[in-house]
Amino acid sequence: MNSVIDVINKRVSLRKYAQRDISKEHLNLIIDSAIKAPTAGNQCLYSIIMIKDSETKEILSKSCDNQPFIAKAPLILIFAADQQKWFDYFQHRGVKEYAKKENISFEAPQESDFIIACEDALIAAQNAVIAAESLGIGSCYIGDIIENYEFHKELLNLEDWVFPVCMLCFGYYEEDFKRVYRKRFDKKFIVFEEKYKKLTTDELEEMFEEKEKRYVENNKYNAENFAQMLYAQKTGAEFSREMARSMRVALKKWDGRKL
Amino acid sequence: MNSVIDVINKRVSLRKYAQRDISKEHLNLIIDSAIKAPTAGNQCLYSIIMIKDSETKEILSKSCDNQPFIAKAPLILIFAADQQKWFDYFQHRGVKEYAKKENISFEAPQESDFIIACEDALIAAQNAVIAAESLGIGSCYIGDIIENYEFHKELLNLEDWVFPVCMLCFGYYEEDFKRVYRKRFDKKFIVFEEKYKKLTTDELEEMFEEKEKRYVENNKYNAENFAQMLYAQKTGAEFSREMARSMRVALKKWDGRKL
């Protein structure tokens, strides 16, 4: 163990923040750590949108599946997959004409460009999270920024090839904050040697045994077991359907059409 | 500055490794750090495939855009977005029948499930990278694992809803290794306040000024500037086209069809 792994182990998702601003020094260290993250071909295929305005936070707290704590986060960073800058640059420097002359195809960003840019954005985001944690600043990922795509696009002035893949709330831990750790699945269900292994039903039952203790018999979903309850609460719930719709709409922009 | 941010700052992508195995203790710390990473709703929507077999490494070094150094990495971890386990579990616990009874829809994983699972996988991957770095173990992301989808699916025994979003090579730094840091774009082109800002052509020229120094006049691509050269070398190159094809094929599995 060392101090880095100690920070990784100590982190929890923080949803209640000391009500004071992130210091300028700490903010810079968080941003610089994000930018220091590995990025495909040193292309930095992402952008960070920094939200400090309380009105925007209020709006995001509603548009991201109604989570009031978001409005109280001293700092919000939105990490966006971004191929816009590179493609604008390509167009500006005559790549279209060059491609035509060389008889190669010049296409708009497509799904693979989307995913590579998402990788850059997420790797940078996690660097920010760890740097923050080391400074006593907690964080919480908000995947719900993927919902309401058109609304967020307008709110944040996003271009077609800029996709907000995750949002992070940051704030100092409160002094008396008690960290509660959530148990992960047993390692043997996450790590496989040499090849992936489809789990048998016996293995699935063992994997989910701990989670199934969270099942409540008289639940409002008429669910008869934990799997049904979780599906009703999460995977099949309204916010997930909205996320699915949003993602489909957003991905349509990354169509690889001839430019 | 602290030791965590120091580790973040010191890291470079390492492509040449001391030829000795990762110790068992260090391997466990790397894996445990990955699993400790934040994950959407504590669902752990990813799997880690650990490659130590030298034949498989050899194959991957070829199938991932012919990069011989991959075969010499003492350890390879493939991080895969994984919704297979949860959906197998849902099916096993009668969610289909439940959904029918409750008149809600039970659908196969779709694009949003794909991206949320990719987020989990990448966030875990970056935790592994930082933990490793703190132990004197360097790493290199290989995005090319996205290429040759069908081949990798068979090689790694992947299910339809398991997608290898990134691969990481690990190995100890050699004692005399000199770290060379690649300059990132200026912060002002990555971080935006409150809203995204489409860059003007003047700003694009400033952003890419440093990169444009890498342009070589007599290049084999007949490129007349850096943008054209980079497009020919990377964005428009054969391996990128293969990645685009692969990604399209893989994404078709995440179709949200009624189960």
Coordinates of all heavy atoms in Angstrom, one line a residue, chain A residues 2-3 32 35 37 42 48 50 52 82 85 88-89 92-93 98 105 110 119 126-127 134 155-156 165 184 187 189-190 192 194-196 198 205 212 221 225 231 248, chain B residues 2-3 32 35 37 42 48 50 52 82 85 88-89 92-93 98 105 110 119 126-127 134 155-156 165 184 187 189-190 192 194-196 198 205 211-212 221 225 231 248:
Chain A
N2 N 0.4 2.3 -0.7 CA 1.1 3.6 -0.6 C 0.0 4.7 -0.6 O -1.2 4.4 -0.6 CB 2.1 3.7 -1.8 CG 1.3 3.6 -3.1 OD1 0.2 4.1 -3.3 ND2 1.9 2.9 -4.1
S3 N 0.5 5.9 -0.6 CA -0.5 7.0 -0.4 C -1.4 7.1 -1.6 O -2.6 7.6 -1.4 CB 0.3 8.3 -0.1 OG 1.1 8.6 -1.3
D32 N -5.3 20.6 -14.3 CA -4.1 20.1 -14.8 C -3.9 18.6 -14.8 O -3.3 18.0 -15.7 CB -2.9 20.8 -14.1 CG -2.8 22.3 -14.4 OD1 -3.5 22.8 -15.3 OD2 -2.1 23.1 -13.7
I35 N -5.8 17.2 -17.6 CA -5.2 17.4 -18.9 C -3.9 16.5 -19.1 O -3.5 16.2 -20.2 CB -4.9 18.9 -19.1 CG1 -6.2 19.7 -19.3 CG2 -4.0 19.1 -20.3 CD1 -6.1 21.2 -19.4
A37 N -3.7 13.5 -18.3 CA -4.1 12.1 -18.5 C -3.7 11.7 -19.9 O -3.6 12.5 -20.8 CB -5.7 12.0 -18.4
N42 N -2.1 11.8 -28.4 CA -1.9 13.1 -27.9 C -2.9 14.1 -28.6 O -2.5 15.3 -28.8 CB -0.5 13.6 -28.0 CG -0.2 14.8 -27.1 OD1 -0.9 15.1 -26.2 ND2 0.9 15.5 -27.4
I48 N -13.6 20.2 -21.5 CA -14.1 20.3 -20.1 C -14.9 21.6 -20.0 O -14.4 22.7 -20.3 CB -13.0 20.3 -19.1 CG1 -12.1 19.1 -19.2 CG2 -13.5 20.4 -17.7 CD1 -10.8 19.1 -18.4
M50 N -16.7 24.0 -17.4 CA -16.6 24.3 -16.0 C -17.9 25.1 -15.6 O -18.1 26.2 -16.2 CB -15.4 25.1 -15.7 CG -15.1 25.2 -14.3 SD -13.7 26.3 -13.9 CE -12.5 25.8 -15.1
K52 N -19.9 27.1 -12.8 CA -19.9 27.7 -11.5 C -21.2 28.5 -11.2 O -21.5 28.7 -10.1 CB -18.7 28.6 -11.3 CG -17.3 27.8 -11.2 CD -16.2 28.8 -11.0 CE -14.8 28.2 -10.9 NZ -13.8 29.2 -11.0
D82 N -15.0 15.2 -27.8 CA -14.9 16.3 -28.7 C -14.1 16.0 -30.0 O -12.9 16.0 -29.9 CB -14.4 17.6 -28.0 CG -14.5 18.8 -28.8 OD1 -14.8 18.8 -30.0 OD2 -14.3 19.9 -28.2
K85 N -13.2 20.1 -32.8 CA -12.0 21.0 -33.0 C -11.2 20.4 -34.1 O -10.7 21.1 -35.0 CB -11.2 21.1 -31.7 CG -11.9 22.0 -30.6 CD -11.2 22.0 -29.3 CE -11.5 20.9 -28.4 NZ -11.2 21.1 -27.0
D88 N -13.0 20.7 -37.5 CA -13.0 22.1 -37.9 C -11.6 22.4 -38.5 O -11.5 23.1 -39.5 CB -13.4 23.0 -36.8 CG -14.9 23.0 -36.5 OD1 -15.6 22.3 -37.3 OD2 -15.3 23.5 -35.5
Y89 N -10.6 22.0 -37.8 CA -9.2 22.3 -38.2 C -8.9 21.6 -39.5 O -8.3 22.2 -40.4 CB -8.3 21.8 -37.1 CG -6.8 21.8 -37.4 CD1 -6.2 23.0 -37.6 CD2 -6.1 20.6 -37.5 CE1 -4.8 23.0 -38.0 CE2 -4.7 20.6 -37.8 CZ -4.1 21.8 -38.1 OH -2.8 21.9 -38.4
H92 N -10.5 23.5 -42.2 CA -9.8 24.8 -42.3 C -8.5 24.7 -43.1 O -8.1 25.6 -43.9 CB -9.5 25.4 -41.0 CG -8.8 26.7 -41.0 ND1 -9.2 27.8 -41.7 CD2 -7.6 27.1 -40.4 CE1 -8.3 28.8 -41.6 NE2 -7.3 28.3 -40.8
R93 N -7.9 23.5 -43.0 CA -6.6 23.3 -43.6 C -6.7 22.5 -44.9 O -5.7 21.9 -45.4 CB -5.6 22.6 -42.7 CG -5.1 23.5 -41.5 CD -4.2 24.6 -42.1 NE -3.4 25.3 -41.0 CZ -3.2 26.6 -41.0 NH1 -3.8 27.4 -41.9 NH2 -2.5 27.1 -40.0
Y98 N -7.5 18.0 -50.2 CA -6.4 17.1 -50.2 C -6.8 15.6 -50.5 O -6.3 14.9 -51.3 CB -5.6 17.2 -48.9 CG -4.7 16.0 -48.6 CD1 -3.5 15.9 -49.3 CD2 -5.1 15.1 -47.7 CE1 -2.6 14.8 -49.0 CE2 -4.2 14.0 -47.4 CZ -3.0 13.8 -48.1 OH -2.2 12.8 -47.8
S105 N -11.0 9.0 -48.9 CA -12.3 9.5 -48.5 C -12.2 10.5 -47.3 O -11.4 10.2 -46.4 CB -13.2 8.3 -48.2 OG -14.3 8.7 -47.5
Q110 N -17.4 9.4 -37.0 CA -18.4 8.3 -36.9 C -18.3 7.6 -35.5 O -17.6 8.1 -34.6 CB -18.2 7.4 -38.0 CG -16.8 7.0 -38.4 CD -16.6 6.5 -39.8 OE1 -17.4 5.6 -40.2 NE2 -15.7 7.0 -40.5
E119 N -13.3 7.9 -24.7 CA -12.3 7.3 -23.8 C -11.4 8.4 -23.3 O -11.1 8.5 -22.1 CB -11.4 6.3 -24.7 CG -12.2 5.1 -25.2 CD -11.4 3.9 -25.6 OE1 -10.2 3.8 -25.1 OE2 -11.9 3.1 -26.4
Q126 N -11.4 10.7 -14.7 CA -11.0 10.0 -13.5 C -9.6 10.5 -12.9 O -9.4 10.4 -11.7 CB -10.8 8.5 -13.9 CG -10.5 7.5 -12.7 CD -11.6 7.6 -11.6 OE1 -12.6 8.3 -11.7 NE2 -11.3 7.0 -10.4
N127 N -8.8 11.0 -13.8 CA -7.6 11.7 -13.2 C -8.0 12.9 -12.3 O -7.5 13.1 -11.3 CB -6.7 12.2 -14.3 CG -5.5 11.4 -14.5 OD1 -5.5 10.2 -14.1 ND2 -4.4 11.9 -15.2
S134 N -7.3 13.5 -3.5 CA -6.0 13.7 -2.8 C -5.9 15.0 -2.1 O -5.1 15.3 -1.2 CB -4.8 13.5 -3.7 OG -4.6 14.7 -4.5
L155 N -28.3 24.2 -23.8 CA -27.9 24.9 -22.6 C -26.4 25.1 -22.6 O -25.9 26.2 -22.2 CB -28.2 23.9 -21.4 CG -27.8 24.4 -20.0 CD1 -28.7 25.6 -19.5 CD2 -27.9 23.3 -19.0
L156 N -25.6 24.2 -23.1 CA -24.1 24.2 -23.0 C -23.5 24.7 -24.3 O -22.3 24.7 -24.4 CB -23.6 22.9 -22.6 CG -24.1 22.3 -21.2 CD1 -23.7 20.9 -21.1 CD2 -23.6 23.2 -20.1
V165 N -20.2 13.3 -22.1 CA -20.3 11.8 -21.7 C -20.4 11.6 -20.2 O -21.0 10.7 -19.8 CB -19.1 11.0 -22.4 CG1 -17.8 11.5 -21.8 CG2 -19.3 9.5 -22.2
R184 N -18.4 -4.3 -3.5 CA -18.4 -4.6 -4.9 C -18.7 -6.1 -5.1 O -18.5 -6.9 -4.1 CB -17.0 -4.3 -5.6 CG -16.6 -2.9 -5.5 CD -17.4 -2.0 -6.4 NE -16.8 -0.7 -6.5 CZ -17.5 0.4 -6.2 NH1 -18.8 0.4 -5.8 NH2 -17.0 1.6 -6.4
K187 N -14.4 -10.4 -6.8 CA -13.4 -10.3 -7.9 C -13.5 -11.3 -9.0 O -13.3 -11.1 -10.2 CB -12.0 -10.4 -7.3 CG -11.0 -9.5 -7.8 CD -9.6 -9.9 -7.3 CE -9.2 -9.4 -5.9 NZ -7.8 -9.4 -5.7
F189 N -15.9 -12.6 -10.3 CA -17.0 -12.3 -11.3 C -16.6 -11.1 -12.2 O -17.4 -10.8 -13.1 CB -18.3 -12.1 -10.6 CG -18.7 -13.3 -9.8 CD1 -18.9 -13.1 -8.4 CD2 -18.9 -14.5 -10.4 CE1 -19.3 -14.2 -7.6 CE2 -19.3 -15.6 -9.6 CZ -19.5 -15.5 -8.2
I190 N -15.5 -10.5 -11.9 CA -15.1 -9.3 -12.7 C -13.8 -9.6 -13.5 O -13.7 -9.2 -14.6 CB -14.9 -8.1 -11.8 CG1 -16.2 -7.7 -11.1 CG2 -14.4 -6.9 -12.6 CD1 -16.1 -6.5 -10.2
F192 N -11.3 -12.1 -15.4 CA -11.2 -13.5 -16.0 C -9.7 -13.7 -16.6 O -9.1 -12.7 -17.1 CB -12.2 -13.6 -17.2 CG -13.6 -13.4 -16.7 CD1 -14.2 -12.1 -16.8 CD2 -14.3 -14.4 -16.2 CE1 -15.5 -11.9 -16.3 CE2 -15.6 -14.2 -15.7 CZ -16.2 -13.0 -15.8
E194 N -7.2 -14.9 -19.3 CA -7.0 -15.3 -20.7 C -8.2 -15.2 -21.6 O -8.1 -14.7 -22.7 CB -6.4 -16.7 -20.8 CG -5.1 -16.9 -20.0 CD -3.9 -16.0 -20.4 OE1 -4.0 -15.5 -21.6 OE2 -3.0 -15.7 -19.6
K195 N -9.4 -15.6 -21.1 CA -10.6 -15.5 -21.9 C -11.8 -15.1 -21.1 O -11.8 -15.4 -19.9 CB -10.9 -16.8 -22.6 CG -10.1 -17.2 -23.8 CD -10.4 -18.6 -24.3 CE -9.4 -19.1 -25.3 NZ -9.5 -18.4 -26.6
Y196 N -12.8 -14.5 -21.7 CA -14.0 -14.2 -21.0 C -14.7 -15.5 -20.7 O -14.6 -16.4 -21.5 CB -14.9 -13.3 -21.9 CG -16.1 -12.8 -21.2 CD1 -16.1 -11.7 -20.3 CD2 -17.4 -13.4 -21.5 CE1 -17.3 -11.3 -19.7 CE2 -18.5 -12.9 -20.9 CZ -18.5 -11.9 -20.0 OH -19.6 -11.5 -19.4
K198 N -18.6 -16.8 -19.9 CA -20.0 -16.6 -19.6 C -20.4 -17.3 -18.4 O -20.1 -18.5 -18.2 CB -20.9 -17.1 -20.8 CG -22.4 -16.8 -20.7 CD -23.1 -17.3 -22.0 CE -24.6 -17.3 -21.8 NZ -25.2 -16.0 -21.9
E205 N -26.2 -16.7 -9.6 CA -26.9 -16.7 -8.3 C -25.9 -16.4 -7.2 O -26.2 -15.6 -6.3 CB -27.6 -18.0 -8.0 CG -28.8 -18.2 -8.9 CD -29.6 -19.5 -8.6 OE1 -29.3 -20.2 -7.6 OE2 -30.5 -19.8 -9.4
E212 N -29.1 -9.5 -3.5 CA -30.5 -10.0 -3.4 C -31.1 -9.7 -2.0 O -32.3 -9.7 -1.8 CB -30.6 -11.4 -3.8 CG -30.4 -11.6 -5.3 CD -30.7 -13.0 -5.9 OE1 -30.8 -13.9 -5.1 OE2 -30.9 -13.1 -7.1
Y221 N -43.2 -1.8 -6.9 CA -43.1 -2.3 -8.3 C -43.7 -3.6 -8.5 O -43.7 -4.1 -9.7 CB -41.6 -2.4 -8.7 CG -40.8 -1.1 -8.4 CD1 -39.9 -1.0 -7.3 CD2 -41.0 0.0 -9.2 CE1 -39.2 0.1 -7.0 CE2 -40.2 1.2 -8.9 CZ -39.4 1.2 -7.8 OH -38.7 2.4 -7.6
N225 N -38.6 -10.4 -7.0 CA -37.3 -10.6 -6.6 C -36.4 -9.4 -6.8 O -36.9 -8.4 -7.4 CB -36.7 -11.9 -7.2 CG -36.7 -11.8 -8.8 OD1 -36.4 -10.7 -9.3 ND2 -37.1 -12.8 -9.4
Y231 N -34.7 -3.9 -12.1 CA -35.0 -3.6 -13.5 C -36.1 -2.5 -13.5 O -36.0 -1.5 -14.3 CB -35.6 -4.8 -14.3 CG -35.8 -4.5 -15.7 CD1 -34.7 -4.5 -16.6 CD2 -37.0 -4.1 -16.2 CE1 -34.9 -4.2 -18.0 CE2 -37.2 -3.8 -17.5 CZ -36.2 -3.8 -18.4 OH -36.3 -3.5 -19.7
R248 N -29.4 7.6 -28.8 CA -29.7 7.3 -30.2 C -29.7 8.6 -31.1 O -29.1 8.6 -32.1 CB -31.0 6.6 -30.4 CG -31.0 5.1 -30.3 CD -32.3 4.5 -30.8 NE -33.5 5.0 -30.1 CZ -34.0 4.5 -29.0 NH1 -33.3 3.5 -28.3 NH2 -35.0 5.0 -28.4
Chain B
N2 N 1.0 17.1 -4.2 CA 1.2 16.0 -3.2 C 1.6 14.8 -4.0 O 1.8 14.8 -5.2 CB -0.1 15.8 -2.4 CG -1.3 15.5 -3.4 OD1 -1.1 14.7 -4.3 ND2 -2.4 16.0 -3.1
S3 N 1.8 13.7 -3.3 CA 2.4 12.5 -3.9 C 1.5 11.9 -5.0 O 1.9 11.3 -5.9 CB 2.7 11.4 -2.8 OG 1.5 11.1 -2.2
D32 N -7.4 -4.6 -7.5 CA -8.3 -4.1 -6.5 C -8.5 -2.6 -6.7 O -9.6 -2.1 -6.4 CB -7.6 -4.3 -5.1 CG -7.7 -5.8 -4.8 OD1 -8.3 -6.6 -5.5 OD2 -7.0 -6.2 -3.8
I35 N -11.2 -2.2 -9.3 CA -12.5 -2.6 -8.8 C -13.0 -1.6 -7.8 O -14.2 -1.4 -7.7 CB -12.5 -4.0 -8.2 CG1 -12.2 -5.0 -9.3 CG2 -13.8 -4.4 -7.5 CD1 -12.0 -6.5 -8.9
A37 N -12.9 1.5 -8.2 CA -13.3 2.7 -9.0 C -14.8 2.9 -8.9 O -15.6 2.0 -8.8 CB -12.9 2.6 -10.4
N42 N -23.3 1.2 -8.6 CA -22.6 0.0 -8.1 C -22.9 -1.2 -8.9 O -22.9 -2.3 -8.3 CB -22.9 -0.2 -6.6 CG -21.9 -1.0 -5.9 OD1 -20.7 -1.2 -6.3 ND2 -22.3 -1.6 -4.7
I48 N -12.7 -7.5 -16.6 CA -11.3 -7.3 -16.9 C -10.8 -8.7 -17.4 O -10.9 -9.7 -16.7 CB -10.5 -6.9 -15.7 CG1 -11.1 -5.6 -15.1 CG2 -9.0 -6.8 -16.0 CD1 -10.5 -5.2 -13.8
M50 N -7.5 -10.7 -18.1 CA -6.1 -10.7 -17.8 C -5.3 -11.6 -18.7 O -5.6 -12.8 -18.8 CB -5.9 -11.1 -16.4 CG -4.5 -10.8 -15.8 SD -4.3 -11.6 -14.2 CE -5.7 -11.1 -13.3
K52 N -1.8 -13.2 -19.8 CA -0.4 -13.5 -19.4 C 0.3 -14.4 -20.5 O 1.5 -14.5 -20.6 CB -0.3 -14.1 -18.0 CG -0.6 -13.1 -16.9 CD -0.5 -13.8 -15.6 CE -0.8 -12.9 -14.4 NZ -0.9 -13.7 -13.2
D82 N -19.5 -4.4 -20.1 CA -20.2 -5.7 -20.0 C -21.6 -5.5 -19.4 O -21.8 -5.2 -18.2 CB -19.3 -6.6 -19.0 CG -19.8 -8.0 -19.0 OD1 -21.0 -8.3 -19.4 OD2 -19.1 -8.9 -18.4
K85 N -23.7 -9.9 -18.0 CA -23.9 -10.5 -16.8 C -25.3 -10.1 -16.2 O -26.1 -10.9 -15.8 CB -22.8 -10.2 -15.8 CG -21.5 -10.9 -16.1 CD -20.4 -10.6 -15.1 CE -19.7 -9.3 -15.6 NZ -18.3 -9.1 -15.0
D88 N -28.1 -11.5 -18.4 CA -28.3 -12.9 -18.2 C -29.0 -13.1 -16.8 O -29.9 -14.0 -16.7 CB -26.9 -13.6 -18.1 CG -26.3 -13.8 -19.5 OD1 -27.1 -13.6 -20.5 OD2 -25.2 -14.2 -19.6
Y89 N -28.6 -12.4 -15.9 CA -29.2 -12.4 -14.5 C -30.7 -12.1 -14.6 O -31.6 -12.7 -14.0 CB -28.4 -11.5 -13.6 CG -29.1 -11.4 -12.2 CD1 -29.2 -12.4 -11.3 CD2 -29.5 -10.1 -11.8 CE1 -29.7 -12.3 -10.1 CE2 -30.1 -10.0 -10.6 CZ -30.2 -11.0 -9.7 OH -30.8 -10.9 -8.5
H92 N -32.6 -14.8 -16.1 CA -32.6 -16.0 -15.2 C -33.7 -15.7 -14.1 O -34.3 -16.7 -13.6 CB -31.2 -16.2 -14.5 CG -31.2 -17.2 -13.5 ND1 -31.6 -18.5 -13.8 CD2 -30.8 -17.2 -12.2 CE1 -31.4 -19.2 -12.7 NE2 -30.9 -18.5 -11.7
R93 N -33.9 -14.5 -13.7 CA -34.8 -14.2 -12.6 C -36.2 -13.8 -13.1 O -36.9 -13.1 -12.3 CB -34.2 -13.1 -11.6 CG -33.1 -13.6 -10.8 CD -33.5 -14.6 -9.8 NE -32.5 -14.9 -8.7 CZ -32.2 -16.1 -8.2 NH1 -32.8 -17.1 -8.7 NH2 -31.3 -16.2 -7.2
Y98 N -42.0 -10.8 -15.7 CA -42.4 -9.7 -14.9 C -42.8 -8.5 -15.7 O -43.8 -7.9 -15.4 CB -41.3 -9.4 -13.9 CG -41.4 -8.0 -13.2 CD1 -42.3 -7.8 -12.2 CD2 -40.6 -7.0 -13.7 CE1 -42.4 -6.5 -11.6 CE2 -40.7 -5.7 -13.1 CZ -41.6 -5.5 -12.1 OH -41.7 -4.3 -11.5
S105 N -41.7 -2.7 -20.9 CA -41.0 -3.3 -22.0 C -39.6 -3.9 -21.5 O -39.0 -3.3 -20.6 CB -40.7 -2.2 -23.1 OG -39.8 -2.6 -24.0
Q110 N -28.9 -1.5 -25.2 CA -28.8 -0.6 -26.4 C -27.7 0.4 -26.3 O -26.9 0.2 -25.4 CB -30.2 0.1 -26.6 CG -30.8 0.6 -25.4 CD -32.3 0.8 -25.5 OE1 -32.7 1.4 -26.5 NE2 -33.1 0.3 -24.6
E119 N -18.2 3.6 -19.8 CA -17.7 4.5 -18.7 C -17.2 3.8 -17.5 O -16.1 4.1 -17.1 CB -18.9 5.4 -18.3 CG -19.4 6.3 -19.4 CD -20.2 7.5 -18.9 OE1 -20.0 8.0 -17.8 OE2 -21.0 8.0 -19.7
Q126 N -8.5 3.6 -15.7 CA -7.6 4.6 -15.3 C -7.2 4.5 -13.8 O -6.0 4.9 -13.4 CB -8.2 6.0 -15.6 CG -7.3 7.2 -15.3 CD -6.0 7.2 -16.1 OE1 -5.8 6.4 -17.0 NE2 -5.1 8.1 -15.8
N127 N -8.0 4.0 -13.0 CA -7.6 3.7 -11.6 C -6.4 2.7 -11.6 O -5.5 2.8 -10.9 CB -8.8 3.1 -10.8 CG -9.4 4.1 -9.8 OD1 -9.2 5.3 -10.0 ND2 -10.1 3.6 -8.8
S134 N 2.0 4.3 -9.4 CA 2.5 4.5 -8.0 C 3.4 3.4 -7.5 O 4.1 3.5 -6.5 CB 1.3 4.7 -7.1 OG 0.8 3.5 -6.7
L155 N -11.3 -14.7 -30.2 CA -10.0 -14.9 -29.5 C -10.3 -14.9 -28.0 O -9.7 -15.7 -27.2 CB -9.0 -13.8 -29.8 CG -7.7 -13.9 -29.1 CD1 -6.8 -15.0 -29.6 CD2 -6.9 -12.6 -29.3
L156 N -11.1 -13.9 -27.5 CA -11.3 -13.7 -26.1 C -12.6 -14.3 -25.6 O -12.9 -14.1 -24.4 CB -11.3 -12.2 -25.8 CG -10.0 -11.5 -26.2 CD1 -10.2 -10.0 -26.2 CD2 -8.8 -11.9 -25.4
V165 N -13.3 -2.3 -24.7 CA -13.2 -0.8 -25.1 C -11.8 -0.3 -25.0 O -11.4 0.6 -25.7 CB -14.2 0.0 -24.2 CG1 -13.9 0.0 -22.7 CG2 -14.3 1.4 -24.7
R184 N 0.8 19.1 -24.2 CA -0.7 19.1 -24.5 C -1.0 20.4 -25.1 O -0.3 21.4 -25.0 CB -1.5 18.9 -23.2 CG -1.2 17.6 -22.4 CD -1.8 16.4 -23.1 NE -1.8 15.2 -22.3 CZ -1.1 14.1 -22.7 NH1 -0.4 14.1 -23.8 NH2 -1.1 13.1 -21.9
K187 N -4.4 24.9 -22.3 CA -5.6 24.8 -21.5 C -6.8 25.5 -22.0 O -7.9 25.0 -21.9 CB -5.3 25.3 -20.1 CG -5.8 24.5 -18.9 CD -5.7 25.3 -17.6 CE -4.3 25.2 -17.0 NZ -4.4 25.5 -15.5
F189 N -7.9 25.9 -24.8 CA -8.5 25.2 -25.9 C -9.2 24.0 -25.4 O -9.9 23.3 -26.2 CB -7.6 24.9 -27.0 CG -6.9 26.2 -27.6 CD1 -5.5 26.3 -27.5 CD2 -7.7 27.2 -28.1 CE1 -4.9 27.5 -28.0 CE2 -7.1 28.3 -28.6 CZ -5.7 28.5 -28.6
I190 N -9.1 23.6 -24.2 CA -9.7 22.4 -23.6 C -10.8 22.7 -22.6 O -11.8 22.1 -22.5 CB -8.6 21.5 -23.0 CG1 -7.6 21.1 -24.1 CG2 -9.2 20.3 -22.3 CD1 -6.5 20.2 -23.6
F192 N -13.6 25.2 -21.0 CA -14.4 26.4 -21.3 C -15.3 26.7 -20.1 O -15.7 25.8 -19.3 CB -15.3 26.0 -22.5 CG -14.6 25.6 -23.7 CD1 -14.3 24.3 -24.0 CD2 -14.1 26.6 -24.6 CE1 -13.6 24.0 -25.1 CE2 -13.4 26.3 -25.7 CZ -13.1 25.0 -26.0
E194 N -18.6 27.8 -18.3 CA -20.1 27.8 -18.4 C -20.7 27.3 -19.7 O -21.7 26.6 -19.7 CB -20.6 29.3 -18.2 CG -20.2 29.9 -16.9 CD -20.6 29.1 -15.6 OE1 -21.6 28.4 -15.7 OE2 -19.9 29.3 -14.6
K195 N -20.1 27.5 -20.8 CA -20.6 27.0 -22.1 C -19.5 26.6 -23.0 O -18.4 27.2 -22.9 CB -21.4 28.1 -22.8 CG -22.8 28.3 -22.3 CD -23.5 29.4 -23.0 CE -24.8 29.9 -22.3 NZ -25.9 28.9 -22.4
Y196 N -19.7 25.7 -23.9 CA -18.8 25.3 -24.9 C -18.6 26.5 -25.9 O -19.5 27.3 -26.1 CB -19.3 24.1 -25.7 CG -18.3 23.6 -26.7 CD1 -17.2 22.8 -26.3 CD2 -18.4 23.8 -28.1 CE1 -16.3 22.3 -27.2 CE2 -17.5 23.3 -29.0 CZ -16.5 22.5 -28.6 OH -15.6 22.0 -29.5
K198 N -17.3 27.2 -29.8 CA -16.8 26.8 -31.1 C -15.6 27.7 -31.4 O -15.7 28.9 -31.4 CB -17.8 26.9 -32.2 CG -17.4 26.3 -33.5 CD -18.5 26.3 -34.5 CE -18.1 26.1 -36.0 NZ -17.7 24.7 -36.3
E205 N -5.9 28.1 -35.5 CA -4.5 28.2 -35.9 C -3.6 28.3 -34.7 O -2.5 27.7 -34.7 CB -4.4 29.4 -36.9 CG -5.0 29.1 -38.2 CD -4.8 30.3 -39.2 OE1 -4.0 31.2 -38.9 OE2 -5.4 30.2 -40.3
K211 N 1.8 22.0 -33.0 CA 1.7 20.7 -33.7 C 2.2 20.9 -35.1 O 2.8 20.0 -35.7 CB 0.3 20.2 -33.8 CG -0.3 19.7 -32.4 CD -0.8 18.3 -32.5 CE -1.6 17.9 -31.3 NZ -0.8 16.9 -30.5
E212 N 1.9 22.0 -35.7 CA 2.2 22.2 -37.1 C 3.7 22.2 -37.4 O 4.2 22.0 -38.5 CB 1.6 23.5 -37.7 CG 0.0 23.3 -37.7 CD -0.7 24.4 -38.4 OE1 -0.1 25.6 -38.6 OE2 -1.9 24.2 -38.8
Y221 N 2.9 11.2 -48.0 CA 1.5 11.3 -48.2 C 1.1 12.4 -49.2 O 0.0 12.7 -49.4 CB 0.8 11.6 -46.8 CG 1.2 10.6 -45.8 CD1 2.0 11.0 -44.7 CD2 0.6 9.3 -45.7 CE1 2.4 10.1 -43.7 CE2 0.9 8.4 -44.8 CZ 1.8 8.8 -43.7 OH 2.2 7.9 -42.8
N225 N 0.3 20.2 -45.6 CA 0.4 20.8 -44.3 C 0.2 19.7 -43.2 O -0.1 18.6 -43.5 CB -0.6 22.0 -44.1 CG -2.0 21.5 -44.3 OD1 -2.4 20.4 -43.9 ND2 -2.8 22.3 -45.0
Y231 N -4.2 13.6 -41.1 CA -5.4 12.9 -41.6 C -4.9 11.6 -42.3 O -5.5 10.6 -42.1 CB -6.2 13.8 -42.5 CG -7.5 13.1 -42.8 CD1 -8.6 13.1 -41.9 CD2 -7.7 12.4 -44.0 CE1 -9.8 12.5 -42.2 CE2 -8.9 11.8 -44.3 CZ -9.9 11.8 -43.4 OH -11.1 11.1 -43.7
R248 N -19.0 -0.2 -35.9 CA -20.4 -0.3 -36.4 C -20.9 -1.7 -36.2 O -22.1 -1.9 -35.8 CB -20.4 0.0 -37.9 CG -20.6 1.5 -38.2 CD -21.0 1.7 -39.7 NE -20.0 1.2 -40.6 CZ -18.9 1.9 -41.0 NH1 -18.6 3.1 -40.6 NH2 -18.0 1.3 -41.8

